[in-house]
Amino acid sequence: MADILYIVIPCFNEEEVLTETTKRLTEKMRKMMESGKIADSSRILYVDDGSTDSTWHLIDRLYMDNGLVTGIKLSRNKGHQNALLAGLFEAADHADMIVSMDSDLQDDIDVLDSFVDEYYNGSEIVYGVRKSRKKDSWFKRTTAVAFYKLMRAMGVEIVYNHADYRLMSKRAVDELKNYKEVNLFLRGIIPLIGFETSTVEYDRGERFAGKSKYPLKKMIYFAIDGITSTSVRPIRMITMFGLLCILFSIIYGIYVIIGHVAGGTVQGWTTSVLLICFFGGAQIMCTGIVGEYVGKIYLETKARPRFIIEEKLTDDSKNK
C-alpha cells in the first residue's frame, strides 16, 4: 500500500502564483496516485504566514474546490522558517512523508517521483540539490557560492546548493520536534538529525510571478542568523584574534624597545592612529558578534512560541 505524501508550502503574499501552483501540483499528484506511488489521501498543505493580501482567502477557496488542498493560517507573520516548521509539524500528524517547497514554482515538481523513490529505498531525508547556477546572474551566483562557503567555514553543517526543497519522513520530522530553539535555521538543523539521507538533483526554474521574498539584505541577515544559531566558531575566532593581537603587541613592543635603546626611535603619529583605528574597529566588531549570541540567548530563555496557528482548514470548514 502506498504511503501518504504531504507537500508543505509556506506562503507570504503569494496570491499571484497559488492558482497555477495548485494546478500543476494537482496534476502531478494525480499521476503519482494513479501509478500507485502515493496514497489517495495525500495533500497539498499551504501555510499562510500572516499574508496581507488575499492569500488566505485564495487558499480557502482552493480548499473548497480542490480535494487535494488543505491549509493552516498563522496568527501573524513569523518568517519563512517558522511557517515551514508549522507546516512540517502539522503534516506529520497525517502523512508518512513530507516534501517542503516554495510556492513560486522555481522548484522542479517533476523530481517528486525521485524524492519518493529515494524514500521507498530507505532514505529518511532527501535533499533537493540544484544541478547548476548557470541561469543566475553573476552577482547572484557569486553571493550564493560565498554564502555556502562562509557557512561551512563557520562550522555550519549544510548541504551545498540546497535550500528548503526536501523530503522528510514522519520519523525525521518527529525527531525534529526535539529541537526546541526559537532561532531557526532548518538548513543547518536538519542535517544534525542523522538517519539515512540522499540527494536528488534538479534544475531550478524562473519564478512564475511575484517578487522574491529574499533580497540581498534579507539574505545577509539570514546568513548571520544561520551562523549564530548553529555554530560557536565565530566566538572561537574572536579568541584566536585576541591571541594574535597579544602576540603582535609583544613583537611590536620588543621592536619599540630595541629602537629606543639604539636611539633610533622615530616619533610618528601615523602608526599610532592606524593601530588605534584598527584595534578599535576590531573591538567593536567582536563586541557585535558576542552581542548576536547574547541576543539569541535572551530570545531562547524567553521560550516564546515559534508560531501560533489561528485557523485550520478541516472537513468542518466545508460543511459551514
Side-chain angles (χ1 to χ4, degrees), residues 8 36 38 43 55 69 73 75 78 92 95 121 136 150 178 180 201 208 223 230 239 243 252 269 271 301 306 309 320:
V8 174
I38 61 175
R43 295 290 182 269
T55 293
V69 174
K73 183 179 187 295
S75 61
K78 294 293 289 183
N121 288 333
D136 293 345
L150 176 63
N178 294 323
K180 305 297 184 181
E201 292 187 342
F208 177 76
T230 56
T239 303
L243 292 174
Y252 188 71
W269 60 271
T271 303
T301 55
R306 291 174 288 190
I309 297 177
K320 289 182 180 179

mmCIF file of all heavy atoms in Angstrom, residues 8 36 38 43 55 69 73 75 78 92 95 121 136 150 178 180 201 208 223 230 239 243 252 269 271 301 306 309 320:
data_model
loop_
_atom_site.group_PDB
_atom_site.id
_atom_site.type_symbol
_atom_site.label_atom_id
_atom_site.label_comp_id
_atom_site.label_asym_id
_atom_site.label_seq_id
_atom_site.Cartn_x
_atom_site.Cartn_y
_atom_site.Cartn_z
ATOM 1 N N VAL A 8 4.290 20.573 1.798
ATOM 2 C CA VAL A 8 4.145 21.755 2.652
ATOM 3 C C VAL A 8 4.713 22.967 1.924
ATOM 4 O O VAL A 8 5.872 22.969 1.495
ATOM 5 C CB VAL A 8 4.866 21.554 3.993
ATOM 6 C CG1 VAL A 8 4.850 22.840 4.816
ATOM 7 C CG2 VAL A 8 4.225 20.413 4.772
ATOM 8 N N GLY A 36 0.182 4.521 -8.265
ATOM 9 C CA GLY A 36 0.320 3.800 -7.005
ATOM 10 C C GLY A 36 1.537 4.206 -6.191
ATOM 11 O O GLY A 36 1.918 3.524 -5.239
ATOM 12 N N ILE A 38 1.860 7.178 -4.435
ATOM 13 C CA ILE A 38 1.424 7.820 -3.197
ATOM 14 C C ILE A 38 -0.053 7.489 -2.963
ATOM 15 O O ILE A 38 -0.787 7.150 -3.893
ATOM 16 C CB ILE A 38 1.620 9.347 -3.229
ATOM 17 C CG1 ILE A 38 0.797 9.977 -4.367
ATOM 18 C CG2 ILE A 38 3.095 9.698 -3.378
ATOM 19 C CD1 ILE A 38 0.853 11.505 -4.387
ATOM 20 N N ARG A 43 -1.925 15.179 0.308
ATOM 21 C CA ARG A 43 -2.460 16.530 0.243
ATOM 22 C C ARG A 43 -1.377 17.571 -0.033
ATOM 23 O O ARG A 43 -0.186 17.338 0.166
ATOM 24 C CB ARG A 43 -3.146 16.898 1.573
ATOM 25 C CG ARG A 43 -4.391 16.079 1.908
ATOM 26 C CD ARG A 43 -5.553 16.425 0.987
ATOM 27 N NE ARG A 43 -6.759 15.683 1.312
ATOM 28 C CZ ARG A 43 -7.094 14.514 0.783
ATOM 29 N NH1 ARG A 43 -6.293 13.948 -0.111
ATOM 30 N NH2 ARG A 43 -8.209 13.914 1.126
ATOM 31 N N THR A 55 -4.120 36.049 0.073
ATOM 32 C CA THR A 55 -3.567 34.688 0.013
ATOM 33 C C THR A 55 -4.441 33.690 0.773
ATOM 34 O O THR A 55 -4.760 32.617 0.257
ATOM 35 C CB THR A 55 -2.131 34.661 0.569
ATOM 36 O OG1 THR A 55 -1.275 35.412 -0.306
ATOM 37 C CG2 THR A 55 -1.606 33.238 0.664
ATOM 38 N N VAL A 69 -6.267 20.006 -1.602
ATOM 39 C CA VAL A 69 -5.720 21.186 -0.934
ATOM 40 C C VAL A 69 -6.227 21.296 0.496
ATOM 41 O O VAL A 69 -7.409 21.093 0.769
ATOM 42 C CB VAL A 69 -6.077 22.471 -1.715
ATOM 43 C CG1 VAL A 69 -5.622 23.714 -0.932
ATOM 44 C CG2 VAL A 69 -5.430 22.460 -3.086
ATOM 45 N N LYS A 73 -3.440 28.724 8.869
ATOM 46 C CA LYS A 73 -3.166 30.159 8.889
ATOM 47 C C LYS A 73 -2.507 30.524 10.208
ATOM 48 O O LYS A 73 -3.053 30.233 11.277
ATOM 49 C CB LYS A 73 -4.475 30.944 8.723
ATOM 50 C CG LYS A 73 -4.307 32.452 8.655
ATOM 51 C CD LYS A 73 -5.661 33.116 8.471
ATOM 52 C CE LYS A 73 -5.537 34.603 8.222
ATOM 53 N NZ LYS A 73 -4.982 35.320 9.406
ATOM 54 N N SER A 75 -1.177 33.174 13.091
ATOM 55 C CA SER A 75 -1.812 34.362 13.653
ATOM 56 C C SER A 75 -1.135 35.654 13.211
ATOM 57 O O SER A 75 -1.756 36.712 13.186
ATOM 58 C CB SER A 75 -1.810 34.287 15.179
ATOM 59 O OG SER A 75 -0.466 34.222 15.673
ATOM 60 N N LYS A 78 5.564 35.158 10.937
ATOM 61 C CA LYS A 78 6.638 34.652 11.795
ATOM 62 C C LYS A 78 7.898 34.305 11.013
ATOM 63 O O LYS A 78 8.855 33.790 11.568
ATOM 64 C CB LYS A 78 6.156 33.409 12.555
ATOM 65 C CG LYS A 78 5.049 33.687 13.560
ATOM 66 C CD LYS A 78 5.542 34.541 14.715
ATOM 67 C CE LYS A 78 6.475 33.773 15.611
ATOM 68 N NZ LYS A 78 6.926 34.549 16.779
ATOM 69 N N ALA A 92 3.028 16.110 9.756
ATOM 70 C CA ALA A 92 3.500 14.874 10.385
ATOM 71 C C ALA A 92 2.383 14.142 11.119
ATOM 72 O O ALA A 92 2.498 12.938 11.386
ATOM 73 C CB ALA A 92 4.648 15.180 11.340
ATOM 74 N N ALA A 95 0.737 12.469 7.595
ATOM 75 C CA ALA A 95 1.483 11.913 6.454
ATOM 76 C C ALA A 95 2.590 10.964 6.892
ATOM 77 O O ALA A 95 3.047 10.988 8.037
ATOM 78 C CB ALA A 95 2.070 13.044 5.621
ATOM 79 N N ASN A 121 13.355 3.648 -0.967
ATOM 80 C CA ASN A 121 14.632 2.931 -0.927
ATOM 81 C C ASN A 121 15.320 3.022 0.437
ATOM 82 O O ASN A 121 16.414 2.481 0.611
ATOM 83 C CB ASN A 121 15.579 3.472 -2.007
ATOM 84 C CG ASN A 121 15.164 3.057 -3.399
ATOM 85 O OD1 ASN A 121 14.517 2.024 -3.583
ATOM 86 N ND2 ASN A 121 15.516 3.857 -4.397
ATOM 87 N N ASP A 136 21.551 31.917 -13.168
ATOM 88 C CA ASP A 136 21.636 33.050 -12.253
ATOM 89 C C ASP A 136 22.546 34.133 -12.813
ATOM 90 O O ASP A 136 23.449 33.863 -13.606
ATOM 91 C CB ASP A 136 22.172 32.603 -10.889
ATOM 92 C CG ASP A 136 21.199 31.694 -10.159
ATOM 93 O OD1 ASP A 136 20.031 31.646 -10.579
ATOM 94 O OD2 ASP A 136 21.607 31.053 -9.184
ATOM 95 N N LEU A 150 30.929 30.376 3.263
ATOM 96 C CA LEU A 150 31.001 31.048 4.564
ATOM 97 C C LEU A 150 30.365 30.195 5.644
ATOM 98 O O LEU A 150 30.921 30.051 6.740
ATOM 99 C CB LEU A 150 30.298 32.406 4.488
ATOM 100 C CG LEU A 150 30.199 33.192 5.802
ATOM 101 C CD1 LEU A 150 31.589 33.560 6.306
ATOM 102 C CD2 LEU A 150 29.346 34.447 5.615
ATOM 103 N N ASN A 178 12.188 17.618 18.627
ATOM 104 C CA ASN A 178 13.021 17.663 19.836
ATOM 105 C C ASN A 178 13.982 18.841 19.833
ATOM 106 O O ASN A 178 14.603 19.128 20.865
ATOM 107 C CB ASN A 178 13.814 16.357 19.969
ATOM 108 C CG ASN A 178 12.926 15.154 20.222
ATOM 109 O OD1 ASN A 178 11.933 15.252 20.942
ATOM 110 N ND2 ASN A 178 13.259 14.013 19.632
ATOM 111 N N LYS A 180 14.325 22.453 20.155
ATOM 112 C CA LYS A 180 13.412 23.445 20.722
ATOM 113 C C LYS A 180 13.805 24.894 20.476
ATOM 114 O O LYS A 180 13.123 25.804 20.939
ATOM 115 C CB LYS A 180 13.299 23.226 22.240
ATOM 116 C CG LYS A 180 12.875 21.828 22.657
ATOM 117 C CD LYS A 180 11.483 21.479 22.176
ATOM 118 C CE LYS A 180 11.039 20.114 22.695
ATOM 119 N NZ LYS A 180 9.684 19.749 22.213
ATOM 120 N N GLU A 201 19.110 15.730 -7.724
ATOM 121 C CA GLU A 201 19.469 16.947 -8.445
ATOM 122 C C GLU A 201 18.308 17.417 -9.314
ATOM 123 O O GLU A 201 17.542 16.612 -9.844
ATOM 124 C CB GLU A 201 20.702 16.708 -9.314
ATOM 125 C CG GLU A 201 21.980 16.469 -8.518
ATOM 126 C CD GLU A 201 23.200 16.410 -9.416
ATOM 127 O OE1 GLU A 201 23.034 16.215 -10.649
ATOM 128 O OE2 GLU A 201 24.319 16.574 -8.892
ATOM 129 N N PHE A 208 7.452 32.085 -11.314
ATOM 130 C CA PHE A 208 6.279 32.197 -12.177
ATOM 131 C C PHE A 208 5.700 33.611 -12.153
ATOM 132 O O PHE A 208 5.350 34.178 -13.185
ATOM 133 C CB PHE A 208 5.208 31.191 -11.729
ATOM 134 C CG PHE A 208 3.929 31.291 -12.513
ATOM 135 C CD1 PHE A 208 3.851 30.786 -13.803
ATOM 136 C CD2 PHE A 208 2.809 31.903 -11.967
ATOM 137 C CE1 PHE A 208 2.672 30.892 -14.535
ATOM 138 C CE2 PHE A 208 1.632 32.009 -12.689
ATOM 139 C CZ PHE A 208 1.561 31.500 -13.973
ATOM 140 N N ALA A 223 21.983 34.681 6.685
ATOM 141 C CA ALA A 223 23.293 34.039 6.885
ATOM 142 C C ALA A 223 23.798 34.263 8.301
ATOM 143 O O ALA A 223 24.312 33.342 8.954
ATOM 144 C CB ALA A 223 24.294 34.576 5.872
ATOM 145 N N THR A 230 23.680 28.087 14.845
ATOM 146 C CA THR A 230 24.115 26.686 14.751
ATOM 147 C C THR A 230 25.600 26.471 15.002
ATOM 148 O O THR A 230 26.055 25.333 14.999
ATOM 149 C CB THR A 230 23.782 26.120 13.348
ATOM 150 O OG1 THR A 230 24.383 26.960 12.354
ATOM 151 C CG2 THR A 230 22.282 26.088 13.122
ATOM 152 N N THR A 239 38.466 34.692 19.983
ATOM 153 C CA THR A 239 39.518 34.319 20.944
ATOM 154 C C THR A 239 40.876 34.222 20.254
ATOM 155 O O THR A 239 41.885 34.741 20.748
ATOM 156 C CB THR A 239 39.177 32.970 21.602
ATOM 157 O OG1 THR A 239 37.888 33.061 22.229
ATOM 158 C CG2 THR A 239 40.226 32.599 22.641
ATOM 159 N N LEU A 243 44.289 36.495 20.738
ATOM 160 C CA LEU A 243 45.628 35.945 20.996
ATOM 161 C C LEU A 243 46.639 36.467 19.968
ATOM 162 O O LEU A 243 47.786 36.781 20.319
ATOM 163 C CB LEU A 243 45.568 34.414 20.946
ATOM 164 C CG LEU A 243 44.791 33.731 22.077
ATOM 165 C CD1 LEU A 243 44.698 32.230 21.826
ATOM 166 C CD2 LEU A 243 45.457 33.996 23.429
ATOM 167 N N TYR A 252 55.721 43.894 18.546
ATOM 168 C CA TYR A 252 55.871 45.323 18.296
ATOM 169 C C TYR A 252 56.511 46.019 19.482
ATOM 170 O O TYR A 252 57.321 46.948 19.314
ATOM 171 C CB TYR A 252 54.504 45.939 17.990
ATOM 172 C CG TYR A 252 54.573 47.374 17.522
ATOM 173 C CD1 TYR A 252 55.069 47.674 16.255
ATOM 174 C CD2 TYR A 252 54.161 48.413 18.344
ATOM 175 C CE1 TYR A 252 55.152 48.994 15.811
ATOM 176 C CE2 TYR A 252 54.244 49.733 17.915
ATOM 177 C CZ TYR A 252 54.731 50.010 16.646
ATOM 178 O OH TYR A 252 54.828 51.313 16.222
ATOM 179 N N TRP A 269 52.999 59.847 14.521
ATOM 180 C CA TRP A 269 51.627 59.639 14.989
ATOM 181 C C TRP A 269 50.829 58.752 14.031
ATOM 182 O O TRP A 269 49.803 58.209 14.398
ATOM 183 C CB TRP A 269 50.915 60.987 15.136
ATOM 184 C CG TRP A 269 50.819 61.763 13.865
ATOM 185 C CD1 TRP A 269 51.717 62.650 13.371
ATOM 186 C CD2 TRP A 269 49.739 61.712 12.913
ATOM 187 N NE1 TRP A 269 51.306 63.143 12.173
ATOM 188 C CE2 TRP A 269 50.077 62.593 11.864
ATOM 189 C CE3 TRP A 269 48.550 61.001 12.848
ATOM 190 C CZ2 TRP A 269 49.268 62.791 10.765
ATOM 191 C CZ3 TRP A 269 47.730 61.195 11.752
ATOM 192 C CH2 TRP A 269 48.080 62.076 10.719
ATOM 193 N N THR A 271 51.433 55.720 12.697
ATOM 194 C CA THR A 271 51.326 54.331 13.140
ATOM 195 C C THR A 271 50.359 54.199 14.309
ATOM 196 O O THR A 271 49.526 53.283 14.359
ATOM 197 C CB THR A 271 52.711 53.796 13.558
ATOM 198 O OG1 THR A 271 53.609 53.928 12.462
ATOM 199 C CG2 THR A 271 52.614 52.329 13.961
ATOM 200 N N THR A 301 15.835 32.076 26.141
ATOM 201 C CA THR A 301 15.393 31.954 27.536
ATOM 202 C C THR A 301 13.936 32.377 27.706
ATOM 203 O O THR A 301 13.262 31.917 28.618
ATOM 204 C CB THR A 301 16.278 32.795 28.468
ATOM 205 O OG1 THR A 301 16.310 34.157 28.011
ATOM 206 C CG2 THR A 301 17.699 32.258 28.505
ATOM 207 N N ARG A 306 7.098 29.488 18.724
ATOM 208 C CA ARG A 306 7.685 29.789 17.421
ATOM 209 C C ARG A 306 6.626 30.157 16.394
ATOM 210 O O ARG A 306 6.903 30.817 15.407
ATOM 211 C CB ARG A 306 8.511 28.595 16.944
ATOM 212 C CG ARG A 306 9.767 28.394 17.786
ATOM 213 C CD ARG A 306 10.516 27.137 17.420
ATOM 214 N NE ARG A 306 9.818 25.935 17.848
ATOM 215 C CZ ARG A 306 10.354 24.713 17.826
ATOM 216 N NH1 ARG A 306 11.586 24.558 17.379
ATOM 217 N NH2 ARG A 306 9.668 23.669 18.232
ATOM 218 N N ILE A 309 -1.016 28.886 15.432
ATOM 219 C CA ILE A 309 -1.956 28.585 14.345
ATOM 220 C C ILE A 309 -3.316 29.187 14.692
ATOM 221 O O ILE A 309 -3.944 28.826 15.681
ATOM 222 C CB ILE A 309 -2.072 27.073 14.122
ATOM 223 C CG1 ILE A 309 -0.714 26.501 13.684
ATOM 224 C CG2 ILE A 309 -3.144 26.766 13.075
ATOM 225 C CD1 ILE A 309 -0.707 24.998 13.505
ATOM 226 N N LYS A 320 -19.647 24.273 6.606
ATOM 227 C CA LYS A 320 -20.238 25.518 7.121
ATOM 228 C C LYS A 320 -21.196 26.124 6.102
ATOM 229 O O LYS A 320 -20.942 26.078 4.910
ATOM 230 C CB LYS A 320 -19.120 26.519 7.474
ATOM 231 C CG LYS A 320 -18.347 26.093 8.720
ATOM 232 C CD LYS A 320 -17.284 27.130 9.048
ATOM 233 C CE LYS A 320 -16.491 26.741 10.286
ATOM 234 N NZ LYS A 320 -15.449 27.731 10.609
#
